[in-house]
């Protein structure tokens, strides 16, 4: 009767000769007798992996079974004496991660590469890039940055992974508000037509697009040049049209930007960022029907998440909501609630029982008592009150659901107010509210004898501070504020004043004109700074 070592030698001979069925039968026979026999575990795993990799398409399930056997061999006390086990386990994990990535099983790909790293197995540059990209996707930014930088320090600029690593790291740095570092990374690349430039057109095009985004406000000519390079590399893509629109937008050409966003959508209707940019341009130009219809595309971005996944959405304007308990929520932008709380009574008029969930600060300013503007609306404080509802809708989608497209449809104010019981703040003479955090260069030119009262946005969880802010606004003669949450609150309270609207303002502020149908009490001035003098009288 043959010994175990003789059977193993015969199995290896079959394996090396490509007689895989014979080899597999002998490995299985050994493992039936000695389940932890290290060589049989190792080589059976390698054999299963070979077959799974050669399948068309590659079979991740069988590959994982092979990895499992090699992993068991690697865990044996004598594994260190057989270097091939560590090498094959590293290769097996790498192959399995690639197979998972091809099937969009990113979490499994990440877990597989993390296992290789934790075991101290060497990672190929391609594997390290995949690991960094997947860590970035799950917002493990510190770990992702370490791997990107390891790739950048390991090889020349022209290496296959260098440019994708630069692009990935730049995107990560932009997301972490480290834009100067990101630009430095991308400015250090050779020109696209240089002999030593990387041959990856897609990575080059993405890099030039990122450079353009970073340069738009500070170096618009260089941003335009980057977009020319991007077109030379990748052609007239939807992303190129989208970024070209962004460049026009930051320069104040909102109509031109809108046209380019439309071109991007003609090339790629599912381009979520272009769709959202198109929505915002339409809204700044007063094309509310088109703008609000497209605004819901913000949910198509990778980082977007709706608040209550278990509550069905109110999705269509013709959907009957009468008798339904409707949850409305204000997302996370400070501008949302003071801008659109005016529409909550319209839902009650449609027969819905309306619950609006907001932060504690905003909750203090909603006048919902009898005879008040938001009477009959139930307020739920986020983080405190449990919410039960039949349907949900984000506040920013109400104009689309209510089919409100005419400028006259929107003002039913004032509709926010200071809570009762806060005494008015006395001022000696005329007083005008200004932004407390504005630099001196952006201080409004107030007439002599007028007191500038600094105003600041409190933390979301401080209802008392929000109440005092609203009471101060109610006592002021006027405001002179930059476009933003304070200006929205002043407008929602019907306070008179002037708002400075920058060239690339938020979509809630129109691209031109002295008046906005959102806030009749406010007058708008457009530009990067205040004019030499202000007329602070309330609009007629």
């Amino acid at each position: 009767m043959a010994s175990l070592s003789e059977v193993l030698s015969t199995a290896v001979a079959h394996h090396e000769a490509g007689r895989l069925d014979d080899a597999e039968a002998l490995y299985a026979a050994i493992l039936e007798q000695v389940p932890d026999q290290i060589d049989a575990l190792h080589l059976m795993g390698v054999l299963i992996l070979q077959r799974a990799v050669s399948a068309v398409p590659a079979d991740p399930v069988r590959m994982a079974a092979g990895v499992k056997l090699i992993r068991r061999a690697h865990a044996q006390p004598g594994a260190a004496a057989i270097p091939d086990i560590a090498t094959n386990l590293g290769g097996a994990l790498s192959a399995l991660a690639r197979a998972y990535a091809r099937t969009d099983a990113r979490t499994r790909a990440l877990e597989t590469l993390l296992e290789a790293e934790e075991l101290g197995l060497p990672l190929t540059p391609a594997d390290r890039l995949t690991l960094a990209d997947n860590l970035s996707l799950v917002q493990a930014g510190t770990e992702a940055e370490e791997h990107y930088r390891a790739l950048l320090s390991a090889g020349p600029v022209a290496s296959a992974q260098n440019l994708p690593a630069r692009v990935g790291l730049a995107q990560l740095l932009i997301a972490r508000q480290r834009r100067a570092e990101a630009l430095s990374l991308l400015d250090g690349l050779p020109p696209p037509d240089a002999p030593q430039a990387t041959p990856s057109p897609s990575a080059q095009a993405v890099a030039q697009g990122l450079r353009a985004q970073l340069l738009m406000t500070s170096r618009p000519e260089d941003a335009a040049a980057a977009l020319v390079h991007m077109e030379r590399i990748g052609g007239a893509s939807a992303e190129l049209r989208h970024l070209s629109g962004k460049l026009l937008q930051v320069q104040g050409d909102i109509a031109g930007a809108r046209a380019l966003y439309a071109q991007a959508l003609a090339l790629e209707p599912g381009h979520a960022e272009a769709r959202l940019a198109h929505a915002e341009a339409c809204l700044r130009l007063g094309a509310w029907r088109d703008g609000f219809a497209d605004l819901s595309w913000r949910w198509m971005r990778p980082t977007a998440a709706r608040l209550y996944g278990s509550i069905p959405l109110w999705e269509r304007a013709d959907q009957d909501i009468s008798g339904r308990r409707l949850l409305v929520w204000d997302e996370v932008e400070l501008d949302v609630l003071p801008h659109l709380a005016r529409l909550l009574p319209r839902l009650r008029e449609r027969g819905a029982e309306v619950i609006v969930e907001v932060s504690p600060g905003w909750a203090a300013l909603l006048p919902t008592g009898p005879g008040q503007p938001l009477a009959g609306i139930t307020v739920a404080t986020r983080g405190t009150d449990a919410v039960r509802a039949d349907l949900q809708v984000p506040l920013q989608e109400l104009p689309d659901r209510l089919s409100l497209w005419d400028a006259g449809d929107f003002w039913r104010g004032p509709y926010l107010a200071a809570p009762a019981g806060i005494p008015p703040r006395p001022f000696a003479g005329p007083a005008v509210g200004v932004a407390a955090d504005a630099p001196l260069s952006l201080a409004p030119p107030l007439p002599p004898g007028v007191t500038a009262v600094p105003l600041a946005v409190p933390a979301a969880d401080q209802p008392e501070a929000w109440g005092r802010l609203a009471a101060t606004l109610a006592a002021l003669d006027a405001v002179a504020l930059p476009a933003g949450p304070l200006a929205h609150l002043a407008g929602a309270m019907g306070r008179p004043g002037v708002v400075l609207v920058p060239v690339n303002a938020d979509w809630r502020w129109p691209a031109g004109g002295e008046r906005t149908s959102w806030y009749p009490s406010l007058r708008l001035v457009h530009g990067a700074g205040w004019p030499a003098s202000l007329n602070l009288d309330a609009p007629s």
Side-chain angles (χ1 to χ4, degrees), residues 216-422:
M216 283 179 184
T217 55
S218 59
R219 291 155 49 190
E221 297 84 0
D222 290 341
L227 292 175
V228 169
H229 287 317
M230 184 179 178
E231 184 167 18
R232 187 187 310 158
I233 297 162
S237 65
E239 179 63 4
L240 174 69
R241 294 290 181 260
H242 167 233
L243 294 177
S244 299
K246 285 287 187 186
L247 181 57
L248 289 185
Q249 181 178 317
V250 300
Q251 295 173 321
D253 185 359
I254 309 303
R258 178 187 178 184
L260 283 169
Y261 297 145
Q263 291 177 27
L265 295 173
L267 292 170
E268 186 182 329
H271 194 303
E273 293 291 346
R275 182 73 66 177
L276 184 57
H278 181 257
E280 294 176 352
C282 288
L283 291 166
R284 291 207 68 200
L285 294 167
W288 288 336
R289 180 186 295 273
D290 292 340
F292 280 116
D294 276 353
L295 194 62
S296 62
W297 277 76
R298 65 194 183 282
W299 302 119
M300 302 302 290
R301 293 176 295 180
T303 56
R306 303 207 181 199
L307 188 59
Y308 289 106
S310 60
I311 300 176
L313 287 167
W314 177 25
E315 296 185 280
R316 303 185 321 278
D318 61 355
Q319 187 174 350
D320 185 13
I321 59 171
S322 178
R324 309 299 297 276
R325 189 174 173 87
L326 180 64
L327 169 65
V328 184
W329 45 279
D330 68 343
E331 303 179 51
V332 295
E333 301 171 44
L334 277 173
D335 296 350
V336 175
L337 185 116
H339 181 227
L340 290 174
R342 70 187 81 206
L343 300 182
L344 295 172
R346 307 288 185 99
L347 303 175
R348 190 193 58 226
E349 293 164 9
R350 291 273 296 264
E353 180 185 351
V354 184
I355 309 100
V356 58
E357 186 186 65
V358 295
S359 67
W362 284 130
L365 309 187
L366 295 175
T368 57
Q372 293 185 305
L374 304 182
I377 307 298
T378 300
V379 178
T381 302
R382 180 168 300 136
T384 302
D385 299 324
V387 175
R388 179 182 59 80
D390 302 312
L391 297 168
Q392 65 165 316
V393 64
L395 195 56
Q396 290 187 100
E397 295 184 21
L398 289 185
D400 182 62
R401 300 299 184 277
L402 293 168
S403 301
L404 300 176
W405 313 130
D406 185 81
D409 286 336
F410 286 96
W411 177 251
R412 285 191 179 181
Y415 52 87
L416 296 184
I422 299 180

